[in-house]
Amino acid sequence: MTKLIAASALSIVASAGAAFAADCGDVTIAEMNWASASFMANVDAIILEEGYACNVELITGDTTPTFTSMNEKGQPDIAPELWINAVATPLAAAKEAGSLVALNDGPITGLGEGWWVTKKFKEDHPELDTVEKVLAHPEMFPFIEDESKGAFMGCPAGWGCQSINANQFRAFDMEAKGWVLVDPGSAAGLDGSIAKAVDRDEPWFGYYWAPTAIIGKYDLQMLPFEAEYAGDDNWNNCISLPEQDCLDPQPTSWIESAVESVVTDEFIAKAGPATDYFKARVYPGEVMNGMLVYMNENQASGEDAAYEFLATQEDIWMQWVPADVAEKVKSAL
């Protein structure tokens, strides 16, 4: 009788596992076109496939197009690293409607975005210790195509920060002050401009964010704004929108940086215990920086870095999943 009960119990457990695998089914994950997001997407893919028996497909994306697709079409299922300031208003509406859910509002510690200068510039000019003080000296950052202007390096087209920087550029009346907003063309172009400036001991002023390999490698220094935060209405309904939808941007300090792991309601319905993994998945900033430096120095892809992380940082990721799931992932590496 006891054996029959035990056999039945095992059968129930096995059936539940099979049912979960079937329920998890096909899952799509946004692999954003920057290093930390690509790395996170690949870690998620490996753990979901090997630990939770999901059938995962990575979908290339970036902030605004990925959010729009999730919001309007319910695809992809997961945005592991969504910088939400660029989409705050429609994301809040989607959350209220229940179509999108933030499973983790702090997947990386030590985050921050804003306007930075090189460490050498800050050491040489300690009196220029705010954004506004630097804006008064465009001659210190000569634009290569017109050295009578100062170069401010913005974001590549398609990134959520492109609109934010363009609107801040207008809010601080930077063109009249002698500045040019430079489009770096790509992530590589943005990184290359920093590396070139540091290697040549030249000043650099522009947008970036942390944690990143570039910030860690070149020790860029973020400048505080003298302007206070001008409110959510100014930021969410103007500064973060395309320029044509922000007619009167007001000068403001940068909004507090916020990143969330956002999923669709369909993923919530089918993923079962895998949702707990996302709730527990938090990368310490220094660990993330280290992985990004690894990717940079080894020309490693997001997938390469994911396997490296899972093989060398068990003390971190094994805290995110139950022991049986961790063993399945380890055995697959």
Side-chain angles (χ1 to χ4, degrees), residues 27-193:
V27 174
T28 51
I29 302 176
E31 184 178 9
M32 306 293 198
N33 57 0
W34 61 89
S36 60
S38 175
F39 162 64
M40 289 177 66
N42 278 278
V43 171
D44 291 345
I46 294 168
I47 288 180
L48 289 185
E49 282 198 329
E50 305 299 343
Y52 293 96
C54 302
N55 180 32
V56 177
E57 179 183 5
L58 295 177
I59 305 294
T60 301
D62 55 38
T63 303
T64 302
T66 293
F67 170 77
T68 300
S69 180
M70 292 180 73
N71 196 31
E72 296 180 357
K73 302 176 182 177
Q75 288 290 322
D77 291 298
I78 303 163
E81 186 189 339
L82 184 67
W83 289 67
I84 66 171
N85 290 339
V87 295
T89 300
L91 176 59
K95 288 179 180 177
E96 185 171 356
S99 59
L100 296 178
V101 178
L103 287 180
N104 192 320
D105 61 4
I108 310 170
T109 63
L111 291 163
E113 59 182 323
W115 291 357
W116 308 66
V117 293
T118 62
K119 182 179 180 181
K120 179 71 161 44
F121 177 84
K122 190 171 183 179
E123 290 175 344
D124 289 347
H125 303 282
E127 74 283 6
L128 303 181
D129 58 357
T130 68
V131 165
E132 284 82 350
K133 290 175 182 175
V134 168
L135 293 185
H137 293 281
E139 77 281 1
M140 291 184 172
F141 303 85
F143 179 40
I144 191 170
E145 296 180 13
D146 180 357
E147 294 192 353
S148 69
K149 305 289 186 181
F152 174 81
M153 193 63 67
C155 283
W159 289 19
C161 52
Q162 181 193 30
S163 295
I164 294 172
N165 282 294
N167 289 323
Q168 284 281 64
F169 188 87
R170 291 189 295 130
F172 282 96
D173 204 16
M174 289 174 64
E175 183 175 0
K177 293 174 180 173
W179 292 90
V180 173
L181 176 57
V182 181
D183 181 349
S186 64
L190 179 58
D191 291 357
S193 72

Side-chain angles (χ1 to χ4, degrees), residues 89-333:
T89 300
L91 176 59
K95 288 179 180 177
E96 185 171 356
S99 59
L100 296 178
V101 178
L103 287 180
N104 192 320
D105 61 4
I108 310 170
T109 63
L111 291 163
E113 59 182 323
W115 291 357
W116 308 66
V117 293
T118 62
K119 182 179 180 181
K120 179 71 161 44
F121 177 84
K122 190 171 183 179
E123 290 175 344
D124 289 347
H125 303 282
E127 74 283 6
L128 303 181
D129 58 357
T130 68
V131 165
E132 284 82 350
K133 290 175 182 175
V134 168
L135 293 185
H137 293 281
E139 77 281 1
M140 291 184 172
F141 303 85
F143 179 40
I144 191 170
E145 296 180 13
D146 180 357
E147 294 192 353
S148 69
K149 305 289 186 181
F152 174 81
M153 193 63 67
C155 283
W159 289 19
C161 52
Q162 181 193 30
S163 295
I164 294 172
N165 282 294
N167 289 323
Q168 284 281 64
F169 188 87
R170 291 189 295 130
F172 282 96
D173 204 16
M174 289 174 64
E175 183 175 0
K177 293 174 180 173
W179 292 90
V180 173
L181 176 57
V182 181
D183 181 349
S186 64
L190 179 58
D191 291 357
S193 72
I194 296 169
K196 179 180 176 182
V198 173
D199 290 344
R200 295 184 178 184
D201 199 20
E202 296 174 346
W204 184 93
F205 179 41
Y207 167 87
Y208 218 85
W209 74 99
T212 51
I214 288 292
I215 295 296
K217 182 176 181 178
Y218 294 110
D219 199 13
L220 294 186
Q221 305 291 304
M222 184 187 285
L223 290 174
F225 288 80
E226 294 177 28
E228 295 182 354
Y229 181 61
D232 289 347
D233 182 58
N234 177 61
W235 191 275
N236 296 333
N237 300 320
C238 192
I239 294 291
S240 63
L241 300 180
E243 284 187 84
Q244 64 269 22
D245 297 326
C246 181
L247 300 181
D248 187 25
Q250 298 302 304
T252 178
S253 63
W254 209 272
I255 193 172
E256 182 179 355
S257 298
V259 169
E260 294 180 351
S261 293
V262 175
V263 303
T264 63
D265 55 348
E266 183 177 345
F267 178 76
I268 293 289
K270 67 186 177 183
T275 58
D276 292 334
Y277 156 67
F278 285 96
K279 294 174 184 175
R281 176 187 36 61
V282 175
Y283 293 87
E286 62 274 20
V287 173
M288 177 61 80
N289 262 334
M291 292 310 305
L292 298 179
V293 171
Y294 170 83
M295 293 176 71
N296 184 268
E297 293 182 345
N298 295 280
Q299 296 296 302
S301 67
E303 183 180 20
D304 295 334
Y307 279 107
E308 173 71 12
F309 170 75
L310 293 170
T312 61
Q313 305 281 347
E314 291 183 357
D315 57 326
I316 301 294
W317 68 265
M318 287 184 68
Q319 299 179 42
W320 303 341
V321 293
D324 61 327
V325 172
E327 287 305 315
K328 291 177 184 176
V329 174
K330 285 180 63 178
S331 66
L333 298 177

